[in-house]
Coordinates of all heavy atoms in Angstrom, one line a residue:
M1317 N 65.3 122.9 100.8 CA 66.5 123.3 101.4 C 66.9 124.7 101.0 O 67.6 125.4 101.8 CB 67.7 122.4 101.1 CG 67.5 121.0 101.8 SD 68.7 119.8 101.4 CE 70.3 120.5 101.9
G1318 N 66.5 125.2 99.9 CA 66.9 126.5 99.4 C 68.4 126.6 99.2 O 69.0 125.7 98.7
S1319 N 68.9 127.8 99.5 CA 70.3 128.1 99.2 C 71.1 128.0 100.4 O 72.3 128.4 100.4 CB 70.5 129.5 98.5 OG 70.1 130.4 99.5
N1320 N 70.6 127.4 101.5 CA 71.4 127.3 102.8 C 72.0 125.9 102.9 O 71.9 125.3 103.9 CB 70.4 127.6 104.0 CG 69.9 129.0 104.0 OD1 70.6 129.9 103.6 ND2 68.7 129.2 104.5
Y1321 N 72.7 125.5 101.9 CA 73.5 124.3 102.1 C 74.8 124.4 101.2 O 74.9 125.2 100.4 CB 72.7 123.1 101.6 CG 72.3 123.1 100.1 CD1 73.2 122.6 99.1 CD2 71.1 123.8 99.6 CE1 72.9 122.6 97.8 CE2 70.9 123.8 98.3 CZ 71.7 123.2 97.3 OH 71.4 123.2 96.0
T1322 N 75.7 123.5 101.5 CA 77.0 123.5 100.9 C 77.2 122.1 100.3 O 76.9 121.1 101.0 CB 78.1 123.8 101.9 OG1 77.9 125.1 102.5 CG2 79.5 123.9 101.2
V1323 N 77.8 122.0 99.1 CA 78.1 120.8 98.5 C 79.7 120.6 98.5 O 80.4 121.6 98.0 CB 77.6 120.7 97.1 CG1 78.1 119.4 96.4 CG2 76.1 120.7 97.1
A1324 N 80.2 119.5 99.0 CA 81.6 119.3 98.9 C 82.0 119.1 97.4 O 81.4 118.2 96.8 CB 82.0 118.1 99.7
L1325 N 82.8 119.9 96.9 CA 83.2 119.9 95.5 C 83.8 118.6 95.0 O 83.7 118.1 93.9 CB 84.0 121.1 95.1 CG 83.3 122.4 95.2 CD1 84.3 123.5 94.8 CD2 82.1 122.5 94.3
N1326 N 84.5 117.9 95.9 CA 85.1 116.6 95.6 C 84.0 115.5 95.4 O 84.3 114.5 94.9 CB 86.2 116.2 96.5 CG 85.6 115.9 97.9 OD1 84.6 116.4 98.3 ND2 86.4 115.2 98.7
L1327 N 82.8 115.7 95.9 CA 81.7 114.8 95.8 C 80.7 115.1 94.7 O 79.9 114.3 94.3 CB 81.0 114.6 97.1 CG 81.8 114.1 98.3 CD1 81.0 114.0 99.6 CD2 82.5 112.7 98.0
A1328 N 80.8 116.4 94.2 CA 79.8 116.8 93.2 C 80.2 116.2 91.9 O 81.4 116.0 91.5 CB 79.9 118.3 93.0
P1329 N 79.3 115.7 91.1 CA 79.6 115.0 89.9 C 80.1 116.0 88.8 O 79.6 117.1 88.7 CB 78.2 114.4 89.4 CG 77.2 115.2 90.1 CD 77.8 115.7 91.4
T1330 N 81.2 115.7 88.2 CA 81.8 116.6 87.2 C 81.7 116.0 85.8 O 82.3 116.5 84.9 CB 83.3 116.8 87.6 OG1 83.9 115.6 87.6 CG2 83.4 117.6 88.9
T1331 N 80.9 115.0 85.7 CA 80.7 114.4 84.3 C 79.9 115.4 83.5 O 78.8 115.8 83.9 CB 80.0 113.1 84.5 OG1 80.7 112.2 85.4 CG2 79.9 112.3 83.1
P1332 N 80.4 115.7 82.3 CA 79.6 116.6 81.5 C 78.2 116.0 81.2 O 78.0 114.8 81.1 CB 80.5 116.7 80.2 CG 81.8 116.2 80.5 CD 81.6 115.3 81.7
S1333 N 77.3 116.9 80.9 CA 75.9 116.5 80.7 C 75.8 115.7 79.4 O 75.0 114.7 79.4 CB 74.9 117.7 80.6 OG 75.4 118.6 79.6
W1334 N 76.5 115.9 78.4 CA 76.4 115.1 77.2 C 76.9 113.7 77.4 O 76.4 112.8 76.8 CB 77.2 115.8 76.0 CG 78.7 115.9 76.3 CD1 79.4 116.9 76.8 CD2 79.7 114.9 75.9 NE1 80.7 116.6 76.9 CE2 80.9 115.4 76.3 CE3 79.6 113.7 75.3 CZ2 82.1 114.7 76.2 CZ3 80.8 112.9 75.2 CH2 82.0 113.5 75.6
L1335 N 77.9 113.5 78.3 CA 78.4 112.2 78.6 C 77.4 111.5 79.5 O 77.2 110.2 79.4 CB 79.7 112.3 79.3 CG 80.6 111.1 79.3 CD1 80.8 110.5 78.0 CD2 82.0 111.4 80.0
R1336 N 76.7 112.2 80.5 CA 75.7 111.6 81.3 C 74.5 111.2 80.4 O 73.9 110.1 80.7 CB 75.3 112.5 82.4 CG 76.2 112.5 83.6 CD 75.7 113.3 84.7 NE 76.2 114.7 84.5 CZ 75.6 115.8 84.8 NH1 74.4 115.8 85.3 NH2 76.2 117.0 84.6
A1337 N 74.2 111.9 79.4 CA 73.1 111.6 78.5 C 73.3 110.2 77.8 O 72.4 109.5 77.4 CB 72.9 112.7 77.5
L1338 N 74.6 109.9 77.6 CA 74.9 108.6 77.0 C 74.9 107.4 78.0 O 75.2 106.3 77.6 CB 76.4 108.6 76.4 CG 76.5 109.6 75.2 CD1 78.0 109.7 74.8 CD2 75.7 109.1 74.0
G1339 N 74.7 107.7 79.3 CA 74.6 106.8 80.3 C 75.9 106.6 81.1 O 76.0 105.7 81.9
A1340 N 76.9 107.4 80.8 CA 78.2 107.3 81.5 C 78.0 108.1 82.8 O 77.7 109.2 82.9 CB 79.3 107.9 80.7
N1341 N 78.4 107.4 83.9 CA 78.3 108.0 85.2 C 79.7 108.2 85.8 O 80.7 107.7 85.2 CB 77.6 107.0 86.2 CG 76.1 106.9 85.8 OD1 75.5 107.9 85.4 ND2 75.6 105.7 85.9
A1342 N 79.8 109.0 86.8 CA 81.1 109.3 87.4 C 81.7 108.0 88.0 O 80.9 107.1 88.5 CB 80.9 110.3 88.5
M1343 N 83.0 107.8 88.0 CA 83.6 106.7 88.6 C 84.0 107.1 90.0 O 84.7 108.1 90.2 CB 84.9 106.3 87.9 CG 85.6 105.1 88.4 SD 87.1 104.6 87.7 CE 87.2 105.3 86.1
Y1344 N 83.5 106.4 91.0 CA 83.7 106.8 92.4 C 85.0 106.1 92.8 O 85.2 104.9 92.7 CB 82.6 106.4 93.3 CG 81.4 107.2 92.9 CD1 80.3 106.7 92.2 CD2 81.3 108.5 93.4 CE1 79.2 107.4 91.8 CE2 80.2 109.3 93.0 CZ 79.1 108.7 92.3 OH 78.1 109.5 91.9
L1345 N 85.9 106.9 93.3 CA 87.2 106.3 93.7 C 87.2 105.7 95.1 O 86.4 106.1 95.9 CB 88.3 107.5 93.7 CG 88.5 108.2 92.5 CD1 89.5 109.4 92.6 CD2 89.0 107.3 91.4
G1346 N 88.0 104.7 95.3 CA 88.0 104.0 96.6 C 88.8 105.0 97.6 O 89.4 106.0 97.2
L1347 N 88.7 104.6 98.9 CA 89.4 105.4 99.9 C 90.9 105.6 99.6 O 91.4 106.6 99.9 CB 89.1 104.8 101.3 CG 87.7 104.9 101.8 CD1 87.6 104.2 103.1 CD2 87.3 106.4 102.0
D1348 N 91.5 104.6 99.1 CA 92.9 104.7 98.9 C 93.3 105.7 97.8 O 94.3 106.4 97.9 CB 93.5 103.3 98.5 CG 92.9 102.7 97.2 OD1 91.7 103.1 96.9 OD2 93.5 101.8 96.6
L1349 N 92.4 105.9 96.8 CA 92.7 106.9 95.8 C 92.2 108.3 96.2 O 92.7 109.3 95.6 CB 92.0 106.5 94.5 CG 92.5 105.2 93.9 CD1 91.7 104.8 92.6 CD2 94.0 105.3 93.5
R1350 N 91.4 108.3 97.2 CA 90.9 109.7 97.7 C 91.9 110.2 98.8 O 91.8 111.3 99.2 CB 89.6 109.6 98.3 CG 88.5 109.6 97.3 CD 87.1 109.8 97.9 NE 86.3 108.6 97.6 CZ 85.3 108.3 98.3 NH1 85.0 108.8 99.4 NH2 84.6 107.2 97.9
G1351 N 92.8 109.3 99.2 CA 93.7 109.8 100.3 C 93.1 109.7 101.7 O 93.6 110.3 102.6
G1352 N 92.0 108.9 101.8 CA 91.4 108.8 103.1 C 91.9 107.8 104.1 O 91.8 108.0 105.3
V1353 N 92.6 106.8 103.5 CA 93.1 105.7 104.4 C 94.6 105.4 104.0 O 94.9 105.3 102.9 CB 92.3 104.4 104.3 CG1 92.8 103.3 105.1 CG2 90.8 104.7 104.7
H1354 N 95.4 105.2 105.0 CA 96.8 104.8 104.8 C 97.1 103.7 105.7 O 97.0 103.8 106.9 CB 97.7 106.0 105.0 CG 99.2 105.6 104.9 ND1 99.7 105.5 103.6 CD2 100.1 105.4 105.7 CE1 101.0 105.2 103.8 NE2 101.3 105.1 105.1
F1355 N 97.5 102.6 105.2 CA 97.9 101.4 106.0 C 99.4 101.2 105.9 O 100.0 101.3 104.9 CB 97.2 100.1 105.5 CG 95.7 100.1 105.7 CD1 94.8 100.3 104.7 CD2 95.2 99.8 107.0 CE1 93.5 100.3 104.9 CE2 93.8 99.8 107.2 CZ 93.0 100.1 106.2
L1356 N 100.0 100.9 107.1 CA 101.4 100.5 107.1 C 101.5 99.1 107.6 O 101.0 98.8 108.7 CB 102.1 101.5 108.1 CG 103.6 101.2 108.3 CD1 104.4 101.3 107.0 CD2 104.2 102.1 109.3
L1357 N 102.2 98.3 106.9 CA 102.3 96.9 107.2 C 103.8 96.6 107.6 O 104.7 96.9 106.7 CB 101.9 96.0 106.1 CG 102.0 94.5 106.3 CD1 101.1 94.0 107.4 CD2 101.7 93.8 105.0
E1358 N 104.0 96.1 108.7 CA 105.4 95.8 109.1 C 105.5 94.2 109.3 O 104.5 93.6 109.7 CB 105.7 96.4 110.4 CG 105.8 97.9 110.4 CD 106.3 98.5 111.7 OE1 106.7 97.8 112.6 OE2 106.0 99.8 111.8
V1359 N 106.6 93.7 108.8 CA 106.8 92.3 108.8 C 108.0 92.0 109.6 O 109.1 92.6 109.5 CB 107.0 91.8 107.3 CG1 107.3 90.3 107.3 CG2 105.8 92.1 106.5
D1360 N 107.9 91.0 110.5 CA 109.0 90.5 111.3 C 109.7 89.5 110.4 O 109.3 88.3 110.2 CB 108.5 89.8 112.6 CG 109.6 89.3 113.4 OD1 110.8 89.4 113.0 OD2 109.3 88.7 114.5
M1361 N 110.8 90.0 109.7 CA 111.5 89.2 108.7 C 112.2 87.9 109.3 O 112.1 86.9 108.7 CB 112.6 90.0 108.0 CG 112.0 91.0 107.0 SD 110.9 90.3 105.7 CE 112.1 89.4 104.8
D1362 N 112.7 88.0 110.5 CA 113.3 86.8 111.1 C 112.3 85.7 111.3 O 112.6 84.6 110.9 CB 114.0 87.2 112.4 CG 115.2 88.1 112.2 OD1 115.8 88.1 111.1 OD2 115.5 88.9 113.1
A1363 N 111.1 86.1 111.8 CA 110.1 85.1 112.0 C 109.5 84.6 110.7 O 109.2 83.4 110.5 CB 108.9 85.7 112.8
A1364 N 109.4 85.4 109.7 CA 108.9 85.0 108.4 C 109.9 84.0 107.7 O 109.5 83.0 107.1 CB 108.7 86.2 107.5
V1365 N 111.2 84.3 107.8 CA 112.2 83.4 107.2 C 112.2 82.1 107.9 O 112.3 81.0 107.3 CB 113.6 84.1 107.2 CG1 114.7 83.1 106.9 CG2 113.6 85.3 106.2
K1366 N 112.2 82.1 109.3 CA 112.1 80.9 110.0 C 110.9 80.1 109.7 O 111.0 78.8 109.5 CB 112.1 81.2 111.5 CG 112.1 79.8 112.3 CD 112.5 80.0 113.7 CE 112.4 78.8 114.6 NZ 112.2 77.5 113.9
Q1367 N 109.8 80.7 109.5 CA 108.5 79.9 109.1 C 108.7 79.3 107.8 O 108.3 78.2 107.5 CB 107.4 80.9 109.2 CG 106.0 80.2 109.0 CD 104.8 81.2 109.1 OE1 105.0 82.4 109.0 NE2 103.7 80.7 109.4
A1368 N 109.3 80.0 106.8 CA 109.5 79.5 105.5 C 110.4 78.3 105.5 O 110.2 77.4 104.8 CB 110.0 80.6 104.5
E1369 N 111.5 78.5 106.3 CA 112.5 77.3 106.4 C 111.8 76.1 107.0 O 112.0 75.0 106.5 CB 113.7 77.8 107.3 CG 114.6 78.7 106.6 CD 115.6 79.3 107.6 OE1 115.5 79.1 108.8 OE2 116.6 79.9 107.1
D1370 N 111.0 76.3 108.0 CA 110.3 75.2 108.6 C 109.3 74.5 107.6 O 109.2 73.3 107.5 CB 109.5 75.6 109.8 CG 110.4 76.0 111.0 OD1 111.6 75.6 110.9 OD2 109.9 76.7 111.9
R1371 N 108.7 75.3 106.8 CA 107.7 74.8 105.8 C 108.4 74.1 104.7 O 108.0 73.0 104.3 CB 106.9 76.0 105.2 CG 105.8 75.6 104.3 CD 105.0 76.8 103.8 NE 105.8 77.8 103.1 CZ 106.0 79.0 103.6 NH1 105.3 79.4 104.7 NH2 106.7 79.9 102.9
Y1372 N 109.6 74.6 104.3 CA 110.3 73.9 103.2 C 110.9 72.5 103.7 O 111.0 71.6 103.0 CB 111.5 74.7 102.7 CG 111.0 76.0 102.0 CD1 111.7 77.2 102.0 CD2 109.9 76.0 101.2 CE1 111.4 78.4 101.4 CE2 109.5 77.1 100.6 CZ 110.2 78.3 100.7 OH 109.8 79.4 100.0
T1373 N 111.3 72.6 105.0 CA 111.8 71.3 105.6 C 110.7 70.3 105.6 O 110.9 69.1 105.2 CB 112.4 71.5 107.0 OG1 113.4 72.5 106.9 CG2 112.9 70.3 107.6
E1374 N 109.5 70.6 106.1 CA 108.4 69.7 106.1 C 108.0 69.2 104.7 O 107.7 68.1 104.4 CB 107.2 70.4 106.8 CG 106.0 69.4 107.0 CD 106.4 68.2 107.8 OE1 107.3 68.2 108.7 OE2 105.8 67.1 107.6
D1375 N 108.0 70.2 103.7 CA 107.7 69.8 102.3 C 108.7 68.8 101.7 O 108.3 67.9 101.0 CB 107.7 71.1 101.4 CG 106.5 72.0 101.6 OD1 105.6 71.6 102.4 OD2 106.5 73.1 101.2
L1376 N 110.0 68.9 102.1 CA 111.0 68.0 101.7 C 110.7 66.6 102.3 O 110.8 65.6 101.6 CB 112.4 68.5 102.0 CG 113.6 67.6 101.6 CD1 113.5 67.4 100.1 CD2 114.9 68.2 102.0
R1377 N 110.3 66.6 103.6 CA 110.0 65.3 104.2 C 108.9 64.7 103.5 O 108.9 63.4 103.2 CB 109.7 65.6 105.7 CG 110.9 65.7 106.6 CD 110.3 65.8 108.0 NE 111.4 66.2 108.9 CZ 111.5 67.3 109.5 NH1 110.4 68.1 109.5 NH2 112.5 67.7 110.3
L1378 N 107.9 65.4 103.2 CA 106.7 64.9 102.5 C 107.0 64.3 101.1 O 106.5 63.3 100.7 CB 105.6 65.9 102.5 CG 104.9 66.2 103.8 CD1 104.0 67.4 103.6 CD2 104.2 65.0 104.4
A1379 N 107.9 65.1 100.4 CA 108.3 64.7 99.0 C 109.0 63.4 99.1 O 108.9 62.5 98.3 CB 109.1 65.8 98.4
L1380 N 110.0 63.3 100.1 CA 110.7 62.0 100.2 C 109.8 60.8 100.5 O 110.0 59.7 100.0 CB 111.8 62.2 101.3 CG 113.0 63.2 100.9 CD1 113.9 63.4 102.1 CD2 113.8 62.6 99.8
R1381 N 108.9 61.0 101.4 CA 108.0 60.0 101.8 C 107.1 59.5 100.6 O 106.9 58.4 100.4 CB 107.0 60.4 103.0 CG 107.7 60.4 104.3 CD 106.8 60.8 105.4 NE 107.5 61.1 106.6 CZ 107.2 62.1 107.4 NH1 106.1 62.8 107.2 NH2 107.9 62.3 108.5
S1382 N 106.6 60.5 99.9 CA 105.7 60.2 98.8 C 106.5 59.5 97.6 O 105.9 58.7 96.9 CB 105.0 61.4 98.2 OG 105.9 62.3 97.6
A1383 N 107.8 59.8 97.5 CA 108.6 59.1 96.5 C 109.2 57.8 97.0 O 109.9 57.1 96.3 CB 109.7 60.0 96.1
K1384 N 108.8 57.5 98.3 CA 109.2 56.2 98.9 C 110.7 56.1 99.0 O 111.3 55.1 98.7 CB 108.6 55.0 98.3 CG 107.1 55.0 98.4 CD 106.5 53.8 97.8 CE 104.9 53.9 98.0 NZ 104.2 52.8 97.5
L1385 N 111.4 57.2 99.2 CA 112.9 57.3 99.4 C 113.2 57.2 100.9 O 112.6 58.0 101.7 CB 113.4 58.5 98.8 CG 113.3 58.7 97.3 CD1 113.8 60.0 96.8 CD2 114.1 57.6 96.6
R1386 N 114.1 56.4 101.3 CA 114.5 56.2 102.6 C 115.4 57.4 103.0 O 116.3 57.7 102.2 CB 115.1 54.9 102.9 CG 114.2 53.7 102.7 CD 114.9 52.4 102.8 NE 115.5 52.3 104.1 CZ 115.4 51.4 105.0 NH1 114.7 50.3 104.6 NH2 115.9 51.3 106.2
Y1387 N 115.2 57.9 104.2 CA 116.1 59.0 104.7 C 116.2 58.8 106.2 O 115.3 58.3 106.8 CB 115.6 60.3 104.3 CG 114.3 60.8 104.8 CD1 114.3 61.5 106.0 CD2 113.1 60.3 104.2 CE1 113.1 61.9 106.5 CE2 111.9 60.7 104.8 CZ 111.9 61.5 106.0 OH 110.7 61.8 106.5
Q1388 N 117.3 59.3 106.7 CA 117.4 59.3 108.2 C 116.8 60.5 108.9 O 116.1 60.4 109.9 CB 118.9 59.2 108.6 CG 119.1 58.8 110.0 CD 120.6 58.4 110.2 OE1 121.4 58.7 109.4 NE2 120.8 57.8 111.4
S1389 N 117.1 61.7 108.3 CA 116.5 62.9 108.9 C 116.6 64.1 107.9 O 117.5 64.0 107.0 CB 117.2 63.3 110.2 OG 118.5 63.7 110.0
V1390 N 115.9 65.0 108.1 CA 115.9 66.3 107.3 C 116.1 67.4 108.3 O 115.3 67.6 109.2 CB 114.7 66.5 106.5 CG1 114.7 67.8 105.7 CG2 114.4 65.3 105.5
S1391 N 117.1 68.2 108.1 CA 117.3 69.3 109.0 C 117.9 70.5 108.2 O 118.5 70.3 107.1 CB 118.2 69.0 110.2 OG 119.5 68.6 109.8
K1392 N 117.9 71.7 108.8 CA 118.5 72.8 108.2 C 119.9 73.1 108.7 O 120.2 73.0 109.9 CB 117.6 74.0 108.6 CG 118.1 75.4 108.2 CD 117.2 76.5 108.7 CE 117.5 76.7 110.1 NZ 118.2 77.9 110.4
D1393 N 120.7 73.4 107.8 CA 122.2 73.6 108.2 C 122.4 75.1 107.9 O 122.5 75.6 106.8 CB 123.2 72.8 107.3 CG 124.6 73.0 107.8 OD1 124.8 73.7 108.8 OD2 125.5 72.4 107.2
S1394 N 122.4 75.9 109.0 CA 122.5 77.4 108.9 C 123.9 77.8 108.4 O 124.1 78.9 108.0 CB 122.2 78.0 110.2 OG 123.1 77.6 111.2
G1395 N 124.9 76.9 108.4 CA 126.2 77.3 107.9 C 126.2 77.5 106.4 O 127.1 78.1 105.9
L1396 N 125.3 76.9 105.7 CA 125.3 77.1 104.2 C 124.7 78.4 103.8 O 124.8 78.9 102.7 CB 124.5 76.0 103.6 CG 125.0 74.6 103.8 CD1 124.1 73.6 103.2 CD2 126.4 74.4 103.2
L1397 N 124.0 79.1 104.7 CA 123.3 80.3 104.4 C 124.1 81.6 104.8 O 123.8 82.2 105.8 CB 121.9 80.4 105.0 CG 121.0 79.2 104.6 CD1 119.7 79.3 105.4 CD2 120.6 79.2 103.2
K1398 N 125.1 81.9 104.0 CA 125.9 83.1 104.3 C 126.1 83.9 103.1 O 126.0 83.6 102.0 CB 127.3 82.6 104.9 CG 127.2 82.1 106.3 CD 128.6 81.9 106.9 CE 128.4 81.4 108.3 NZ 129.6 81.2 108.9

């Protein structure tokens, strides 16, 4: 190739030769640490809370059944959550 090429300095190994002689290699950073990828996660909080409430209601029903406790119904009372 001769001298007609360019090396990206962020990809060139910067580990000193004495450290490489001991077997230590450069640590390659993941994309998140190189600044190459950025993810934005948005959560629909109303839907997440409703799903959690439904799951807790079902868990309570299962707990009552497994404990063989009689009950008429299990429901959520939104008046208590203020």
Side-chain angles (χ1 to χ4, degrees):
M1317 288 175 61
S1319 61
N1320 294 329
Y1321 65 91
T1322 304
V1323 174
L1325 293 179
N1326 62 339
L1327 299 177
T1330 56
T1331 308
S1333 58
W1334 64 269
L1335 198 53
R1336 277 185 273 148
L1338 295 174
N1341 295 320
M1343 182 183 341
Y1344 295 101
L1345 302 177
L1347 287 177
D1348 56 338
L1349 296 176
R1350 283 192 237 158
V1353 175
H1354 178 76
F1355 291 101
L1356 176 64
L1357 177 66
E1358 293 183 15
V1359 176
D1360 181 359
M1361 287 302 294
D1362 293 333
V1365 168
K1366 178 164 179 10
Q1367 187 178 20
E1369 289 171 346
D1370 293 343
R1371 187 174 57 244
Y1372 294 146
T1373 302
E1374 186 59 30
D1375 287 348
L1376 181 57
R1377 282 189 191 111
L1378 291 172
L1380 291 171
R1381 283 184 195 140
S1382 67
K1384 297 183 181 176
L1385 296 173
R1386 295 176 57 129
Y1387 65 95
Q1388 192 168 15
S1389 69
V1390 176
S1391 64
K1392 173 184 78 106
D1393 185 2
S1394 61
L1396 297 175
L1397 301 173
K1398 287 188 177 181

